[in-house]
Amino acid sequence: QVQLVESGGGLVQPGGSLRVSCAASGGSLDGAAIGWFRQAPGKEREGIACINTKDGNPYYIDSVKGRFTASKDIAKNTVYLQMNSLKPEDTAVYYCAAAKRNWGPVCFLSGAEYNYWGQGTQVTVSS
């Protein structure tokens, strides 16, 4: 069974940067679609980025576009979420997710589309 283990969360000041890593074991991320999600206190889980199967082109929601970068390193069997220019409203538990499905050039921000999940890592942006 594929397991995703997240790391890299923590406390960062507004305007700072943080990189969350999601290492896979028990299976390869090659050919998998990737999703990144977050859940802030009192709010529903929100899909913020995804990477398609075909070419690795990421998609971002507007609130993180230009600040966050999702990437996939097949050699390390790890996916990353680089977060720059962090804002207090970015405070949330961040989750990586994967689906071993070929969606071609598209990806999805619905959690129901993914069947493997990381345990989540807390990111707190505060001065």
Side-chain angles (χ1 to χ4, degrees), residues 31-113:
I34 304 298
W36 283 98
F37 299 80
R38 66 185 181 187
Q39 188 165 22
K43 297 184 178 180
E44 296 182 1
R45 183 177 59 193
E46 175 188 36
I48 59 172
C50 60
I51 303 172
N52 68 41
T53 303
K54 181 178 174 62
D55 56 15
N57 187 47
Y59 171 82
Y60 308 95
I61 61 171
D62 288 343
S63 62
V64 308
K65 191 178 300 180
R67 300 189 298 120
F68 290 12
T69 302
S71 61
K72 180 180 178 181
D73 188 331
I74 298 300
K76 295 182 178 180
N77 212 25
T78 301
V79 296
Y80 304 94
L81 184 68
Q82 177 68 45
M83 299 178 286
N84 299 324
S85 301
L86 282 161
K87 306 173 181 179
E89 50 263 46
D90 294 319
T91 296
V93 177
Y94 283 73
Y95 299 90
C96 60
K100 283 191 170 183
R101 297 178 62 184
N102 185 1
W103 293 331
V106 303
C107 63
F108 299 93
L109 293 175
S110 171
E113 300 290 345

Side-chain angles (χ1 to χ4, degrees), residues 3-14:
Q3 292 182 307
L4 302 175
V5 179
E6 297 184 56
S7 62
L11 175 65
V12 64
Q13 296 183 65

